[in-house]
């Protein structure tokens, strides 16, 4: 089974960009749940993949070279807009609760407001990757049920 969140991110990227072959992708985050599986999926689609994290030296420069940025580092608004290359696609997997103007709000790992003018596409938080994760969870559930019962798997639900 393919982990739901990375699968949802890959499906978003494929839908938006078509072929990912030859694209430079940076995955910021090295978790076993999102970062590492995301890197493997991008490699499987022939991207050149860099796995970065909060301790990567000169992280802004690493991110600037990317056509695709997947932020899954778990730090609110860590990735600044000036780090994003003009026209890059940004997938923000982060879900961080912070206080702003006396209210609790959700923000991603990317500073959305500063990245928006530079990115050709960016997922919002909330409402971006989350619904794709849920859709992929349902697809994985159907796939698992088919496998467990010796049924043919529906085409197009997973990769």
């Amino acid at each position: 089974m393919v982990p739901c969140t990375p699968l949802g991110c890959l499906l978003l990227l494929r839908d938006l960009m078509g072929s990912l072959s030859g694209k430079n992708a940076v995955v910021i985050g090295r978790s076993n749940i999102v970062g590492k599986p995301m890197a493997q999926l991008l490699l499987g689609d022939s991207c050149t993949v860099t796995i970065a994290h909060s301790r990567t030296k000169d992280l802004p420069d690493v991110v600037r070279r990317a056509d695709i940025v997947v932020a899954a580092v778990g730090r609110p608004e860590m990735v600044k807009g000036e780090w994003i290359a003009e026209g890059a696609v940004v997938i923000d997997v982060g879900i961080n609760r912070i206080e702003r103007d006396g209210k609790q709000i959700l923000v991603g790992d990317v500073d959305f407001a500063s990245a928006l003018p530079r990115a050709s596409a960016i997922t919002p938080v909330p409402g971006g990757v989350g619904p794709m994760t849920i859709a992929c969870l349902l697809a994985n559930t159907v796939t698992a049920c088919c496998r467990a019962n010796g049924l043919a798997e529906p085409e197009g639900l997973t990769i």
Side-chain angles (χ1 to χ4, degrees), residues 67-143:
D67 303 307
I68 298 167
V69 177
V70 180
V73 72
R75 294 195 178 179
E77 299 176 328
M78 181 180 139
V79 179
K80 306 302 179 197
E82 59 266 16
W83 299 10
I84 306 299
E86 278 298 327
V89 174
V90 180
I91 305 290
D92 191 346
V93 180
I95 301 174
N96 306 284
R97 193 173 304 277
I98 65 167
E99 186 172 320
R100 184 172 288 154
D101 300 326
K103 292 195 286 187
Q104 290 283 320
I105 63 168
L106 289 178
V107 298
D109 292 346
V110 177
D111 181 357
F112 186 86
S114 67
L116 185 61
R118 299 181 65 86
S120 64
I122 184 171
T123 58
V125 175
V129 172
M132 289 301 294
T133 298
I134 294 166
C136 291
L137 174 62
L138 293 173
N140 277 353
T141 302
V142 172
T143 299

Side-chain angles (χ1 to χ4, degrees), residues 31-47:
S31 73
N32 291 329
I33 295 172
V34 178
K36 290 176 186 174
M38 187 74 244
Q40 289 295 319
L41 290 173
L42 290 166
L43 282 169
D45 268 25
S46 299
C47 288

